[in-house]
Amino acid sequence: MSITVVRDKETGVAVVTLDRAAKHNAITLDMARQLAATWREFRYEDEVRAVVVTGAGTRAFCTGIDRSAEVPQPSSPYTIDDPLIAIGPKANDLWKPVVAAVEGMACGGAFYLLGETEFLVAGEEASFFDPHTTYGMVSAFETIHMAQKMPFGEVARMALMGTAERISARRAYETGLVSELTEPGAALDAARRAAAVIASYPTEAVQGTVRALWSAKEAARAQALAHAPHLIALGNLAPERQAELFTRRGGGHRLR
């Protein structure tokens, strides 16, 4: 399985792991479907009161969709078929708190997940970046999700700088994207501890608080997401040109 779920009945915490370390936990189409199904199943599991989402290994939390995935697109400029659109908990109407534990790289499509968590815990060697513009793609859904968690200038710089720059875990902590820094490899344990505390509180109050937090930005977020498919359809280069740019990738990057 590429998605593993471990439930701790004693603490009420479930850990969802993107379990594809050899491929930097890149998401396949099957994994996307598994994630959506997992979040929806949690809605009916009263024994699960908080969730941690993480990636296997220490090299990457997730590097977005697997480049080998074939996703045919409709010809209309008014719609796209995005397999990652429902990989997050909020997209699946789950209002139980979700904490992210990040080690290594988190980039591109990873932000669909991170953008729908309540807060992030990261190891000191984690890094965040968005490669879309480098390869002729519009960063729309990713940017909108992260704009809920980062100052405008920070998310704008990350999206526009592409692969030339990565945000260090320290900088992410300074700007509020990351709520807690840990020693390398310790993010999951720290996230579990936080989730266990939350899970110990009355679940009605916890879920109501989660829902209230998201309602604060819900209208603007929903409006922005509605524009995303059109921006992508109009702004993305043709797939063959994207592939050409991707094969030319190389060079270093600055860690900020």
Side-chain angles (χ1 to χ4, degrees):
M1 293 288 287
S2 299
I3 303 291
T4 60
V5 181
V6 177
R7 298 164 174 83
D8 186 330
K9 293 183 178 179
E10 183 176 345
T11 64
V13 174
V15 176
V16 177
T17 303
L18 308 179
D19 199 357
R20 201 166 176 245
K23 295 291 185 178
H24 297 307
N25 299 314
I27 298 174
T28 65
L29 299 184
D30 282 343
M31 288 172 68
R33 287 187 285 267
Q34 291 171 34
L35 278 167
T38 298
W39 301 127
R40 298 189 72 82
E41 287 170 9
F42 283 150
R43 298 182 306 155
Y44 298 94
E45 298 182 28
D46 292 343
E47 65 275 17
V48 173
R49 299 184 295 280
V51 183
V52 174
V53 61
T54 192
T58 59
R59 295 165 62 198
F61 168 79
C62 174
T63 53
I65 193 166
D66 190 293
R67 287 286 301 175
S68 67
E70 294 186 8
V71 186
Q73 294 296 324
S75 59
S76 170
Y78 300 104
T79 184
I80 61 167
D81 190 355
D82 187 339
L84 300 187
I85 201 166
I87 65 170
K90 306 305 177 290
N92 288 283
D93 200 34
L94 178 72
W95 301 101
K96 296 179 180 182
V98 181
V99 180
V102 180
E103 301 280 358
M105 296 181 290
C107 64
F111 299 151
Y112 285 73
L113 272 176
L114 295 181
E116 292 197 357
T117 62
E118 273 54 68
F119 58 89
L120 281 64
V121 177
E124 290 179 339
E125 294 179 355
S127 62
F128 304 83
F129 64 102
D130 189 345
H132 280 74
T133 55
T134 300
Y135 302 125
M137 295 180 283
V138 174
S139 177
F141 287 104
E142 296 83 359
T143 299
I144 292 166
H145 282 301
M146 298 311 283
Q148 313 302 308
K149 295 187 173 297
M150 301 171 68
F152 180 89
E154 290 294 318
V155 69
R157 178 168 179 153
M158 179 176 71
L160 294 171
M161 291 293 288
T163 59
E165 190 172 89
R166 297 184 185 183
I167 298 174
S168 66
R170 173 60 59 180
R171 179 61 180 165
Y173 175 74
E174 292 170 349
T175 58
L177 172 60
V178 170
S179 66
E180 180 181 354
L181 278 181
T182 73
E183 294 292 324
L188 178 56
D189 286 342
R192 275 201 197 104
R193 286 194 297 271
V197 171
I198 298 168
S200 72
Y201 298 151
T203 187
E204 295 86 355
V206 168
Q207 290 188 43
T209 300
V210 170
R211 195 67 185 89
L213 284 166
W214 283 86
S215 68
K217 296 183 177 181
E218 195 165 47
R221 180 173 177 267
Q223 187 176 34
L225 289 173
H227 286 296
H230 315 310
L231 299 174
I232 293 169
L234 293 170
N236 275 13
L237 293 182
E240 58 272 17
R241 291 192 62 193
Q242 292 179 28
E244 181 182 349
L245 290 173
F246 195 83
T247 57
R248 295 179 185 174
R249 63 181 175 173
H253 62 267
R254 174 175 181 255
L255 185 66
R256 182 167 62 90

